[in-house]
Amino acid sequence: MKDYQIIWRGPVLDATGYGTASREYILALDRLGFDVKIEGYSWGYPFKGMNKNMKRRLRQLIDKPYAANKRSVLIIHSPAGSIRPKKDRKKHDFMIINTVWETTKLPNQWVPIMNDFDAVCVPCTQNIEAMKNSGIRIPMFLVPHGSEPNKYKPDNKKFRLKEAKGKFVFLSIFDFQHRKNPEALLKAYWEEFSCEDNVILVMKTYGDRSGRQRKKINELKKKLGIGSKAAPLYLIHEIIDETKLKGLYTLGNAFVLPSRGEGVGLPYIEALSSGIPVIATGWGGQMDFLNKRNAFLVKYKLRHPGISMNNKNALAPLYRESFDEKGQLWAEADMKDLKKQMRYAYNNPAICKRKGRQGRKDMLELSWEKAGAALKQAIEKVVH
């Protein structure tokens, strides 16, 4: 029995990338025999359809009392900007931040906050480089994410969508924000394909209670002057349950997201686990597991985020306060190559299937058990 308790502060009940990772990290540590207590918080996107056993165990760890006779290790799973570690330092013996970033340099505000911790855990090699470039002085540990191949798998029942019947389905799942590059995705799709192609783009986002996303997308479509010849788009902008989400992946023939930067890119992992290939920008945290055998990689150039933020075609929330500082760079997908890769995938369904099979095989090598083991090593090095 360890002589310390791990206090995990994270969005464990949320339907976000942080939420998924929080759940899996915690349960991996729990299976390894650690004394784990959850301090949960939420960003307002509750996870629907959670496995009953998982929900029961998480609730037990949330309700679990703090250990009175043990040292405490606080792990905060969160972006660093909203954290005030000096207050927590008075209560805990050790503090670790588990976070992620998507450009070549952290926001200036993050650096002194993170340097108040005993260590930082990140899920990709790019983040290690970004933190070194930003002046992070505390120990850094690479703790990759795992996959969920028993949940996301090729034989999951497909999402029922009559509009997609008999068509080649491009699938994209993302949080509607500028970093994800929705304008490049839509522009490439609508300029490369028309209603004469046997194709559809199914786009799943969330957080559109006001209808703003649909309005901005329609405005872009009008600017492009496509009109009635446009290839079809099916937009899902609400939170859906896990069964439907799994079925979305198996509905797709190829997953496409020309993101400007990713810390991990969980939808890429979920797509590959489901046996469909990925069309992705060839730079970012996803490059720890994407390659030419399981993906169609899009050429790119590193650019300052302010350049795309000032483009009149920018569709989604910008978050300038985080991504528009001097020295920050992220990847701008080459539009010509993005169109080329999408057309190539469309014209070669057999290659898509082959890459999808390889992706499934590759994702079987990722696991949350391995992630838990890496996190275990990081914790023990900090404590001892």
Side-chain angles (χ1 to χ4, degrees), residues 250-301:
T250 50
L251 176 69
N253 296 98
F255 182 90
V256 54
L257 184 60
S259 176
R260 294 179 165 104
E262 292 291 337
V264 178
L266 273 176
Y268 297 131
I269 294 176
E270 292 165 357
L272 293 177
S273 295
S274 302
I276 67 170
V278 162
I279 303 172
T281 314
W283 182 89
Q286 71 271 18
M287 293 309 296
D288 279 8
F289 56 85
L290 292 188
N291 54 65
K292 290 183 178 180
R293 295 179 302 152
N294 61 29
F296 302 91
L297 299 176
V298 178
K299 296 176 183 177
Y300 66 91
K301 289 185 179 178

Short mmCIF file of all heavy atoms in Angstrom, two decimals, residues 250-301:
data_model
loop_
_atom_site.label_atom_id
_atom_site.label_comp_id
_atom_site.label_asym_id
_atom_site.label_seq_id
_atom_site.Cartn_x
_atom_site.Cartn_y
_atom_site.Cartn_z
N THR A 250 -17.69 4.20 -37.87
CA THR A 250 -17.81 3.09 -38.82
C THR A 250 -18.64 3.46 -40.04
O THR A 250 -18.56 2.79 -41.07
CB THR A 250 -18.39 1.84 -38.13
OG1 THR A 250 -19.57 2.19 -37.40
CG2 THR A 250 -17.38 1.24 -37.16
N LEU A 251 -19.41 4.53 -39.95
CA LEU A 251 -20.10 5.06 -41.12
C LEU A 251 -19.12 5.64 -42.13
O LEU A 251 -19.33 5.59 -43.34
CB LEU A 251 -21.10 6.15 -40.69
CG LEU A 251 -21.85 6.89 -41.81
CD1 LEU A 251 -22.83 5.96 -42.50
CD2 LEU A 251 -22.58 8.11 -41.24
N GLY A 252 -18.01 6.18 -41.64
CA GLY A 252 -17.06 6.88 -42.49
C GLY A 252 -16.19 5.95 -43.33
O GLY A 252 -15.87 4.84 -42.92
N ASN A 253 -15.80 6.45 -44.49
CA ASN A 253 -14.78 5.79 -45.31
C ASN A 253 -13.40 6.37 -45.04
O ASN A 253 -12.39 5.70 -45.21
CB ASN A 253 -15.10 5.93 -46.80
CG ASN A 253 -16.39 5.24 -47.18
OD1 ASN A 253 -17.44 5.87 -47.28
ND2 ASN A 253 -16.32 3.94 -47.41
N ALA A 254 -13.38 7.64 -44.64
CA ALA A 254 -12.12 8.30 -44.27
C ALA A 254 -12.44 9.43 -43.30
O ALA A 254 -13.44 10.14 -43.46
CB ALA A 254 -11.39 8.85 -45.50
N PHE A 255 -11.60 9.57 -42.30
CA PHE A 255 -11.72 10.67 -41.33
C PHE A 255 -10.82 11.81 -41.80
O PHE A 255 -9.65 11.58 -42.14
CB PHE A 255 -11.30 10.21 -39.94
CG PHE A 255 -11.44 11.27 -38.88
CD1 PHE A 255 -12.63 11.41 -38.18
CD2 PHE A 255 -10.40 12.13 -38.60
CE1 PHE A 255 -12.77 12.39 -37.21
CE2 PHE A 255 -10.53 13.12 -37.63
CZ PHE A 255 -11.73 13.24 -36.94
N VAL A 256 -11.33 13.03 -41.81
CA VAL A 256 -10.54 14.16 -42.31
C VAL A 256 -10.62 15.33 -41.34
O VAL A 256 -11.71 15.73 -40.92
CB VAL A 256 -10.99 14.59 -43.73
CG1 VAL A 256 -12.48 14.88 -43.80
CG2 VAL A 256 -10.18 15.78 -44.22
N LEU A 257 -9.46 15.85 -40.95
CA LEU A 257 -9.39 17.03 -40.09
C LEU A 257 -8.04 17.72 -40.30
O LEU A 257 -7.02 17.26 -39.78
CB LEU A 257 -9.57 16.65 -38.61
CG LEU A 257 -9.60 17.83 -37.63
CD1 LEU A 257 -10.76 18.77 -37.94
CD2 LEU A 257 -9.69 17.35 -36.19
N PRO A 258 -8.01 18.82 -41.07
CA PRO A 258 -6.75 19.52 -41.34
C PRO A 258 -6.39 20.49 -40.22
O PRO A 258 -6.16 21.69 -40.44
CB PRO A 258 -7.05 20.25 -42.65
CG PRO A 258 -8.51 20.56 -42.57
CD PRO A 258 -9.13 19.40 -41.82
N SER A 259 -6.33 19.99 -39.00
CA SER A 259 -6.11 20.82 -37.82
C SER A 259 -4.78 21.58 -37.89
O SER A 259 -3.80 21.10 -38.45
CB SER A 259 -6.11 19.92 -36.58
OG SER A 259 -5.81 20.66 -35.42
N ARG A 260 -4.78 22.77 -37.30
CA ARG A 260 -3.56 23.59 -37.27
C ARG A 260 -2.61 23.14 -36.16
O ARG A 260 -1.42 23.45 -36.20
CB ARG A 260 -3.95 25.06 -37.07
CG ARG A 260 -4.72 25.64 -38.24
CD ARG A 260 -5.11 27.09 -38.00
NE ARG A 260 -5.52 27.72 -39.24
CZ ARG A 260 -6.79 27.98 -39.59
NH1 ARG A 260 -7.77 27.65 -38.77
NH2 ARG A 260 -7.06 28.54 -40.75
N GLY A 261 -3.13 22.44 -35.18
CA GLY A 261 -2.29 21.97 -34.09
C GLY A 261 -3.08 21.07 -33.16
O GLY A 261 -4.24 21.35 -32.87
N GLU A 262 -2.46 20.00 -32.71
CA GLU A 262 -3.10 19.07 -31.77
C GLU A 262 -2.10 18.68 -30.70
O GLU A 262 -0.92 18.48 -30.98
CB GLU A 262 -3.56 17.80 -32.48
CG GLU A 262 -4.70 18.00 -33.47
CD GLU A 262 -6.01 18.34 -32.79
OE1 GLU A 262 -6.19 18.01 -31.60
OE2 GLU A 262 -6.88 18.94 -33.46
N GLY A 263 -2.60 18.54 -29.46
CA GLY A 263 -1.78 17.97 -28.42
C GLY A 263 -1.73 16.46 -28.56
O GLY A 263 -0.71 15.83 -28.34
N VAL A 264 -2.87 15.88 -28.94
CA VAL A 264 -2.98 14.45 -29.20
C VAL A 264 -3.82 14.23 -30.46
O VAL A 264 -3.37 13.70 -31.45
CB VAL A 264 -3.62 13.69 -28.03
CG1 VAL A 264 -3.75 12.20 -28.36
CG2 VAL A 264 -2.79 13.86 -26.76
N GLY A 265 -5.08 14.65 -30.39
CA GLY A 265 -6.01 14.38 -31.47
C GLY A 265 -6.73 13.06 -31.25
O GLY A 265 -6.59 12.12 -32.03
N LEU A 266 -7.52 12.99 -30.16
CA LEU A 266 -8.22 11.74 -29.84
C LEU A 266 -9.13 11.24 -30.97
O LEU A 266 -9.21 10.03 -31.19
CB LEU A 266 -9.03 11.90 -28.55
CG LEU A 266 -8.29 11.63 -27.24
CD1 LEU A 266 -9.18 11.92 -26.05
CD2 LEU A 266 -7.79 10.19 -27.17
N PRO A 267 -9.82 12.12 -31.71
CA PRO A 267 -10.64 11.60 -32.82
C PRO A 267 -9.83 10.83 -33.86
O PRO A 267 -10.34 9.90 -34.47
CB PRO A 267 -11.27 12.86 -33.42
CG PRO A 267 -11.35 13.81 -32.27
CD PRO A 267 -10.09 13.56 -31.49
N TYR A 268 -8.55 11.21 -34.07
CA TYR A 268 -7.71 10.44 -34.98
C TYR A 268 -7.52 9.02 -34.44
O TYR A 268 -7.58 8.04 -35.18
CB TYR A 268 -6.33 11.10 -35.13
CG TYR A 268 -6.31 12.47 -35.73
CD1 TYR A 268 -5.60 13.51 -35.12
CD2 TYR A 268 -6.96 12.76 -36.93
CE1 TYR A 268 -5.54 14.77 -35.67
CE2 TYR A 268 -6.91 14.03 -37.49
CZ TYR A 268 -6.21 15.04 -36.86
OH TYR A 268 -6.15 16.29 -37.41
N ILE A 269 -7.28 8.92 -33.13
CA ILE A 269 -7.10 7.60 -32.51
C ILE A 269 -8.38 6.79 -32.60
O ILE A 269 -8.37 5.59 -32.93
CB ILE A 269 -6.67 7.75 -31.03
CG1 ILE A 269 -5.27 8.38 -30.95
CG2 ILE A 269 -6.71 6.42 -30.30
CD1 ILE A 269 -4.79 8.65 -29.53
N GLU A 270 -9.52 7.43 -32.34
CA GLU A 270 -10.81 6.73 -32.38
C GLU A 270 -11.14 6.27 -33.80
O GLU A 270 -11.69 5.19 -34.00
CB GLU A 270 -11.89 7.64 -31.81
CG GLU A 270 -11.73 7.87 -30.32
CD GLU A 270 -12.53 9.05 -29.77
OE1 GLU A 270 -13.20 9.74 -30.57
OE2 GLU A 270 -12.50 9.27 -28.55
N ALA A 271 -10.79 7.11 -34.80
CA ALA A 271 -11.04 6.74 -36.19
C ALA A 271 -10.19 5.52 -36.59
O ALA A 271 -10.71 4.55 -37.16
CB ALA A 271 -10.74 7.92 -37.11
N LEU A 272 -8.90 5.58 -36.28
CA LEU A 272 -8.02 4.46 -36.62
C LEU A 272 -8.44 3.19 -35.88
O LEU A 272 -8.41 2.09 -36.46
CB LEU A 272 -6.57 4.81 -36.30
CG LEU A 272 -5.93 5.92 -37.14
CD1 LEU A 272 -4.51 6.19 -36.65
CD2 LEU A 272 -5.91 5.56 -38.62
N SER A 273 -8.82 3.32 -34.62
CA SER A 273 -9.29 2.16 -33.86
C SER A 273 -10.52 1.54 -34.52
O SER A 273 -10.74 0.33 -34.45
CB SER A 273 -9.63 2.56 -32.42
OG SER A 273 -8.47 2.99 -31.73
N SER A 274 -11.32 2.40 -35.16
CA SER A 274 -12.54 1.94 -35.83
C SER A 274 -12.27 1.40 -37.23
O SER A 274 -13.21 1.00 -37.93
CB SER A 274 -13.55 3.09 -35.91
OG SER A 274 -13.86 3.58 -34.61
N GLY A 275 -11.01 1.45 -37.65
CA GLY A 275 -10.64 0.85 -38.93
C GLY A 275 -10.78 1.76 -40.13
O GLY A 275 -10.83 1.28 -41.26
N ILE A 276 -10.85 3.08 -39.91
CA ILE A 276 -10.89 3.99 -41.05
C ILE A 276 -9.64 4.87 -41.04
O ILE A 276 -9.14 5.24 -39.97
CB ILE A 276 -12.17 4.85 -41.10
CG1 ILE A 276 -12.25 5.85 -39.94
CG2 ILE A 276 -13.40 3.96 -41.12
CD1 ILE A 276 -13.37 6.86 -40.10
N PRO A 277 -9.10 5.18 -42.21
CA PRO A 277 -7.86 5.97 -42.28
C PRO A 277 -8.12 7.44 -41.98
O PRO A 277 -9.27 7.88 -41.93
CB PRO A 277 -7.42 5.78 -43.73
CG PRO A 277 -8.71 5.65 -44.48
CD PRO A 277 -9.62 4.87 -43.55
N VAL A 278 -7.03 8.16 -41.81
CA VAL A 278 -7.10 9.56 -41.42
C VAL A 278 -6.45 10.43 -42.49
O VAL A 278 -5.40 10.08 -43.02
CB VAL A 278 -6.37 9.75 -40.06
CG1 VAL A 278 -6.03 11.20 -39.80
CG2 VAL A 278 -7.21 9.19 -38.93
N ILE A 279 -7.10 11.55 -42.80
CA ILE A 279 -6.49 12.60 -43.62
C ILE A 279 -6.20 13.74 -42.67
O ILE A 279 -7.12 14.34 -42.10
CB ILE A 279 -7.43 13.06 -44.75
CG1 ILE A 279 -7.83 11.88 -45.63
CG2 ILE A 279 -6.76 14.15 -45.59
CD1 ILE A 279 -8.92 12.21 -46.65
N ALA A 280 -4.92 14.05 -42.46
CA ALA A 280 -4.55 14.99 -41.41
C ALA A 280 -3.33 15.81 -41.81
O ALA A 280 -2.49 15.35 -42.59
CB ALA A 280 -4.24 14.24 -40.11
N THR A 281 -3.24 17.00 -41.25
CA THR A 281 -2.04 17.82 -41.39
C THR A 281 -0.86 17.05 -40.81
O THR A 281 -0.96 16.45 -39.74
CB THR A 281 -2.22 19.15 -40.63
OG1 THR A 281 -3.51 19.69 -40.92
CG2 THR A 281 -1.14 20.14 -41.01
N GLY A 282 0.27 17.09 -41.50
CA GLY A 282 1.43 16.29 -41.09
C GLY A 282 2.28 16.91 -40.01
O GLY A 282 3.50 16.73 -39.99
N TRP A 283 1.66 17.64 -39.10
CA TRP A 283 2.38 18.26 -37.98
C TRP A 283 1.44 18.34 -36.79
O TRP A 283 0.27 18.66 -36.92
CB TRP A 283 2.84 19.68 -38.36
CG TRP A 283 3.64 20.37 -37.29
CD1 TRP A 283 4.99 20.33 -37.11
CD2 TRP A 283 3.13 21.22 -36.24
NE1 TRP A 283 5.35 21.08 -36.02
CE2 TRP A 283 4.23 21.65 -35.47
CE3 TRP A 283 1.85 21.65 -35.87
CZ2 TRP A 283 4.10 22.49 -34.36
CZ3 TRP A 283 1.71 22.47 -34.77
CH2 TRP A 283 2.83 22.89 -34.02
N GLY A 284 1.99 18.03 -35.60
CA GLY A 284 1.19 18.12 -34.39
C GLY A 284 1.42 16.89 -33.52
O GLY A 284 2.17 15.98 -33.87
N GLY A 285 0.75 16.86 -32.38
CA GLY A 285 0.89 15.75 -31.46
C GLY A 285 0.50 14.42 -32.07
O GLY A 285 0.99 13.36 -31.66
N GLN A 286 -0.39 14.45 -33.07
CA GLN A 286 -0.85 13.22 -33.72
C GLN A 286 0.25 12.51 -34.47
O GLN A 286 0.13 11.32 -34.79
CB GLN A 286 -2.02 13.52 -34.66
CG GLN A 286 -1.68 14.28 -35.93
CD GLN A 286 -1.74 15.79 -35.77
OE1 GLN A 286 -1.72 16.29 -34.65
NE2 GLN A 286 -1.87 16.51 -36.87
N MET A 287 1.36 13.23 -34.76
CA MET A 287 2.43 12.59 -35.52
C MET A 287 3.23 11.58 -34.70
O MET A 287 4.10 10.91 -35.23
CB MET A 287 3.36 13.66 -36.12
CG MET A 287 2.69 14.52 -37.18
SD MET A 287 1.86 13.56 -38.47
CE MET A 287 3.25 12.72 -39.21
N ASP A 288 2.92 11.44 -33.41
CA ASP A 288 3.50 10.36 -32.62
C ASP A 288 2.93 9.00 -33.02
O ASP A 288 3.52 7.97 -32.73
CB ASP A 288 3.26 10.60 -31.12
CG ASP A 288 4.25 11.59 -30.52
OD1 ASP A 288 5.03 12.19 -31.28
OD2 ASP A 288 4.24 11.76 -29.29
N PHE A 289 1.74 9.00 -33.67
CA PHE A 289 1.14 7.72 -34.06
C PHE A 289 0.63 7.69 -35.50
O PHE A 289 0.29 6.62 -36.00
CB PHE A 289 0.00 7.35 -33.09
CG PHE A 289 -1.08 8.40 -32.97
CD1 PHE A 289 -2.12 8.45 -33.88
CD2 PHE A 289 -1.04 9.33 -31.94
CE1 PHE A 289 -3.12 9.42 -33.77
CE2 PHE A 289 -2.03 10.32 -31.83
CZ PHE A 289 -3.07 10.35 -32.74
N LEU A 290 0.57 8.83 -36.19
CA LEU A 290 0.19 8.82 -37.60
C LEU A 290 1.42 8.62 -38.48
O LEU A 290 2.51 9.09 -38.17
CB LEU A 290 -0.49 10.13 -38.00
CG LEU A 290 -1.87 10.44 -37.41
CD1 LEU A 290 -2.46 11.67 -38.08
CD2 LEU A 290 -2.81 9.27 -37.53
N ASN A 291 1.22 7.93 -39.59
CA ASN A 291 2.29 7.72 -40.56
C ASN A 291 1.65 7.45 -41.92
O ASN A 291 0.42 7.36 -42.04
CB ASN A 291 3.21 6.58 -40.13
CG ASN A 291 2.43 5.30 -39.84
OD1 ASN A 291 1.83 4.71 -40.73
ND2 ASN A 291 2.44 4.87 -38.57
N LYS A 292 2.48 7.27 -42.94
CA LYS A 292 1.96 7.08 -44.29
C LYS A 292 1.25 5.76 -44.48
O LYS A 292 0.51 5.57 -45.45
CB LYS A 292 3.09 7.22 -45.31
CG LYS A 292 3.62 8.65 -45.43
CD LYS A 292 4.69 8.76 -46.50
CE LYS A 292 5.17 10.20 -46.62
NZ LYS A 292 6.22 10.35 -47.66
N ARG A 293 1.45 4.83 -43.56
CA ARG A 293 0.78 3.53 -43.68
C ARG A 293 -0.67 3.57 -43.19
O ARG A 293 -1.49 2.77 -43.63
CB ARG A 293 1.56 2.46 -42.92
CG ARG A 293 2.94 2.18 -43.50
CD ARG A 293 3.67 1.13 -42.68
NE ARG A 293 3.81 1.58 -41.29
CZ ARG A 293 3.88 0.77 -40.24
NH1 ARG A 293 3.82 -0.53 -40.41
NH2 ARG A 293 4.01 1.26 -39.03
N ASN A 294 -0.97 4.48 -42.26
CA ASN A 294 -2.33 4.52 -41.73
C ASN A 294 -3.06 5.83 -42.02
O ASN A 294 -4.20 6.01 -41.61
CB ASN A 294 -2.34 4.25 -40.21
CG ASN A 294 -1.54 5.27 -39.41
OD1 ASN A 294 -1.40 6.42 -39.79
ND2 ASN A 294 -1.01 4.82 -38.27
N ALA A 295 -2.39 6.75 -42.74
CA ALA A 295 -2.98 8.07 -42.94
C ALA A 295 -2.57 8.66 -44.29
O ALA A 295 -1.59 8.25 -44.91
CB ALA A 295 -2.54 9.01 -41.81
N PHE A 296 -3.37 9.65 -44.72
CA PHE A 296 -3.02 10.49 -45.86
C PHE A 296 -2.55 11.82 -45.26
O PHE A 296 -3.36 12.60 -44.74
CB PHE A 296 -4.24 10.72 -46.75
CG PHE A 296 -4.86 9.46 -47.29
CD1 PHE A 296 -5.88 8.82 -46.60
CD2 PHE A 296 -4.44 8.92 -48.51
CE1 PHE A 296 -6.48 7.66 -47.10
CE2 PHE A 296 -5.02 7.75 -49.01
CZ PHE A 296 -6.04 7.13 -48.31
N LEU A 297 -1.25 12.06 -45.28
CA LEU A 297 -0.68 13.22 -44.59
C LEU A 297 -0.62 14.42 -45.53
O LEU A 297 -0.12 14.32 -46.65
CB LEU A 297 0.70 12.88 -44.05
CG LEU A 297 0.72 11.74 -43.02
CD1 LEU A 297 2.15 11.42 -42.61
CD2 LEU A 297 -0.12 12.09 -41.80
N VAL A 298 -1.12 15.55 -45.04
CA VAL A 298 -1.22 16.77 -45.85
C VAL A 298 -0.01 17.67 -45.58
O VAL A 298 0.38 17.89 -44.43
CB VAL A 298 -2.52 17.53 -45.50
CG1 VAL A 298 -2.63 18.82 -46.29
CG2 VAL A 298 -3.74 16.63 -45.74
N LYS A 299 0.56 18.19 -46.65
CA LYS A 299 1.69 19.11 -46.53
C LYS A 299 1.25 20.37 -45.80
O LYS A 299 0.07 20.74 -45.80
CB LYS A 299 2.24 19.46 -47.91
CG LYS A 299 2.82 18.28 -48.68
CD LYS A 299 3.25 18.71 -50.08
CE LYS A 299 3.76 17.52 -50.88
NZ LYS A 299 4.10 17.91 -52.27
N TYR A 300 2.21 21.08 -45.23
CA TYR A 300 1.89 22.25 -44.41
C TYR A 300 3.08 23.22 -44.37
O TYR A 300 4.20 22.87 -44.77
CB TYR A 300 1.57 21.83 -42.97
CG TYR A 300 2.77 21.24 -42.27
CD1 TYR A 300 3.63 22.05 -41.52
CD2 TYR A 300 3.08 19.89 -42.39
CE1 TYR A 300 4.77 21.51 -40.92
CE2 TYR A 300 4.20 19.35 -41.79
CZ TYR A 300 5.04 20.17 -41.05
OH TYR A 300 6.16 19.65 -40.47
N LYS A 301 2.81 24.42 -43.87
CA LYS A 301 3.86 25.37 -43.54
C LYS A 301 3.56 25.93 -42.14
O LYS A 301 2.39 26.16 -41.80
CB LYS A 301 3.91 26.51 -44.56
CG LYS A 301 4.45 26.08 -45.91
CD LYS A 301 4.60 27.26 -46.86
CE LYS A 301 5.18 26.80 -48.21
NZ LYS A 301 5.30 27.93 -49.16
#
